[in-house]
């Protein structure tokens, strides 16, 4: 049966400007991939992200290469097709992710299964997702929390007033805090800040140091009173072993590693190493978030709020009820384009 791959770019307006220590985003450009045989269609997503060299031009070039593979009528198990596609677009992990999720979605719909049923059981416990508060004026950060009551907030830091910000936000909510410094701190800052943050009901700190600061991370892992989770330091499968020596856990992002297929292998490796397991998202639509949430039963922590930060979405699928995943009753990821 002939399988067709198509793709379309979208501009996703955000409800509020989203700022981290490196940049600010007002409108997120993204691409949605559709794989279809005329009866069953699967969807995947990848965002444009210059920090990770993911551009419109690069995504277009990569997806056109992959389209030629599918035009040949290829139909394999997703893990097998990932190996073949990874040789076609070996360095474009964002495009590979979009295709991988779209094919998993197509494959599971064709077999009349939910995607997560390939590795978990219906009713398995899933972690609550955090809701991200980007860097902003203190008043606006407080207002975002007031507007969005949530059980867990991920606070983006990397300013001169980081501790004051957390202390101020703590005054308006009893929710759990998670801190993401996006490589903005030193080892000494992290160790000192962790002592204060633990008293402020912070659960863990994500990627406080630059990825190349291995010696600093070794000191942090030894002396921090809070768990430290790798993000920028853990992008590919090969990073898991290294991170097991200098972090307490890893944050897997599907676009960085190339999709669900390699993410499953990373999860297996991380469990063997005794690492805490988190999966995170980009600022993306419900297409990508619905794919991400399929691996949630395998995780310790989840950051899947990308679509919640949008002013307008382009699809329906997974939803959230005060942090709890509400899965679609449809097969696959449950995504439907609006």
């Amino acid at each position: 049966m002939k399988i067709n791959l198509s793709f379309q770019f979208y501009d996703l307006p955000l409800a509020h400007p989203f700022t981290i220590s490196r940049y600010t985003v007002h409108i997120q450009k993204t691409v949605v991939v559709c794989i279809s045989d005329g009866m069953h269609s699967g969807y995947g997503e990848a965002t444009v992200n210059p920090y990770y060299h993911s551009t419109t031009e690069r995504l277009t070039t990569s997806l056109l290469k992959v389209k030629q593979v599918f035009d040949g009528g290829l139909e394999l198990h997703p893990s097998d097709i990932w190996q073949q596609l990874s040789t076609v677009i070996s360095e474009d992990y964002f495009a590979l992710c979009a295709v991988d999720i779209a094919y998993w979605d197509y494959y599971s719909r064709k077999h009349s299964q939910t995607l997560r049923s390939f590795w978990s059981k219906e009713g398995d416990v899933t972690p609550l997702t955090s809701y991200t508060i980007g860097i902003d004026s203190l008043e606006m950060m407080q207002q975002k929390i007031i507007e969005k009551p949530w059980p867990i907030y991920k606070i983006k830091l990397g300013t001169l007033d980081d501790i004051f910000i957390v202390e101020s936000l703590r005054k308006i909510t009893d929710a759990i805090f998670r801190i993401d410094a996006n490589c903005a701190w030193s080892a000494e800052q992290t160790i000192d800040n962790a002592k204060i943050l633990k008293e402020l009901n912070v659960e863990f700190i994500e990627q406080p140091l630059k990825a190349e600061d291995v010696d600093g991370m070794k000191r942090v892992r030894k002396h921090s009173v809070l768990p430290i989770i790798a993000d920028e330091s853990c992008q590919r499968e090969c990073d898991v072993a290294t991170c097991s020596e200098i972090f307490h856990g890893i944050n897997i992002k599907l676009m960085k590693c190339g999709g669900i297929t390699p993410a499953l292998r990373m999860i297996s490796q991380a469990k063997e190493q005794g690492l805490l397991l988190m999966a995170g998202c980009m600022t993306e639509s419900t297409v990508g978030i619905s794919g991400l949430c399929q691996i949630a039963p395998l995780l310790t922590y989840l950051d899947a709020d990308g679509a919640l930060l949008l002013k307008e979405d382009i699809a329906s699928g997974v939803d959230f009820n005060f942090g709890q995943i509400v899965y679609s009753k449809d097969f696959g990821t449950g995504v439907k384009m609006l």
Side-chain angles (χ1 to χ4, degrees):
M1 181 177 293
K2 185 176 178 61
I3 302 173
N4 179 64
L5 183 148
S6 59
F7 59 93
Q8 181 174 343
F9 284 91
Y10 295 87
D11 288 331
L12 306 177
L14 276 63
H16 300 282
F18 184 73
T19 299
I20 65 172
S21 63
R22 293 190 295 266
Y23 51 76
T24 298
V25 177
H26 298 268
I27 296 175
Q28 177 64 60
K29 184 173 286 291
T30 196
V31 65
V32 172
V33 171
C34 176
I35 293 176
S36 179
D37 62 9
M39 295 181 60
H40 306 94
S41 298
Y43 300 92
E45 181 177 6
T47 61
V48 171
N49 191 319
Y51 182 79
Y52 292 104
H53 311 292
S54 178
T55 63
T56 302
E57 295 75 18
R58 188 182 192 192
L59 287 167
T60 299
T61 298
S62 296
L63 293 174
L64 287 174
K65 288 180 181 179
V66 172
K67 179 177 171 59
Q68 295 176 358
V69 175
F70 281 100
D71 284 345
L74 183 66
E75 187 169 1
L76 301 168
H77 186 274
S79 60
D80 295 326
I81 203 166
W82 190 93
Q83 294 295 339
Q84 179 166 341
L85 295 178
S86 65
T87 63
V88 177
I89 48 174
S90 59
E91 296 302 320
D92 192 346
Y93 284 80
F94 276 56
L96 189 54
C97 169
V99 177
D100 182 69
I101 295 176
Y103 190 75
W104 267 111
D105 187 22
Y106 161 78
Y107 186 86
S108 52
R109 289 177 195 253
K110 184 174 180 179
H111 289 81
S112 301
Q113 293 182 233
T114 62
L115 178 45
R116 63 192 178 280
S117 69
F118 285 91
W119 46 78
S120 65
K121 298 177 182 177
E122 194 68 32
D124 280 357
V125 175
T126 57
L128 299 179
T129 186
S130 54
Y131 181 82
T132 303
I133 306 298
I135 296 172
D136 210 322
S137 68
L138 179 57
E139 293 74 20
M140 184 56 71
M141 294 176 80
Q142 291 174 323
Q143 185 60 36
K144 289 176 183 177
I145 289 177
I146 293 170
E147 289 179 2
K148 193 75 172 181
W150 211 252
I152 306 170
Y153 292 103
K154 180 177 181 178
I155 312 298
K156 294 283 189 177
L157 297 178
T159 75
L160 298 176
D161 300 309
D162 285 342
I163 296 300
F164 176 72
I165 288 171
V166 180
E167 289 173 337
S168 300
L169 297 181
R170 175 50 71 212
K171 294 177 181 177
I172 64 169
T173 179
D174 293 327
I176 293 170
F177 285 170
R178 297 168 179 171
I179 299 302
D180 186 354
N182 281 114
C183 311
W185 293 350
S186 67
E188 290 69 25
Q189 279 181 297
T190 304
I191 293 167
D192 291 341
N193 288 348
K195 297 172 185 175
I196 302 171
L197 295 173
K198 184 176 182 180
E199 298 302 316
L200 294 169
N201 195 24
V202 168
E203 192 171 24
F204 61 74
I205 300 172
E206 186 179 343
Q207 195 70 42
L209 276 60
K210 291 180 172 59
E212 61 268 21
D213 191 358
V214 175
D215 290 338
M217 269 313 310
K218 288 180 179 178
R219 294 200 304 277
V220 169
R221 190 183 192 280
K222 182 177 180 180
H223 297 291
S224 174
V225 297
L226 286 175
I228 308 295
I229 308 296
D231 185 1
E232 283 83 353
S233 293
C234 191
Q235 298 188 36
R236 311 275 189 267
E237 294 175 64
C238 59
D239 296 326
V240 176
T242 301
C243 287
S244 68
E245 300 176 357
I246 55 177
F247 289 91
H248 301 99
I250 60 171
N251 180 6
I252 298 170
K253 291 192 175 169
L254 300 185
M255 291 185 205
K256 293 182 186 179
C257 72
I260 288 176
T261 299
L264 292 172
R265 296 195 293 261
M266 292 174 73
I267 289 170
S268 177
Q269 293 175 43
K271 288 185 174 181
E272 290 177 1
Q273 299 290 340
L275 289 168
L276 297 170
L277 270 167
M278 175 182 175
C281 63
M282 304 297 189
T283 305
E284 56 196 89
S285 78
T286 290
V287 176
I289 297 301
S290 296
L292 168 63
C293 285
Q294 302 305 309
I295 64 171
L298 308 176
L299 305 173
T300 319
Y301 310 116
L302 180 65
D303 178 30
D305 67 337
L308 299 176
L309 304 176
L310 302 180
K311 184 177 181 180
E312 299 174 4
D313 207 337
I314 56 174
S316 63
V318 160
D319 202 353
F320 297 95
N321 179 17
F322 199 59
Q324 184 64 54
I325 300 171
V326 180
Y327 288 108
S328 167
K329 296 186 183 301
D330 291 339
F331 296 129
T333 65
V335 163
K336 291 182 180 178
M337 301 303 297
L338 297 178

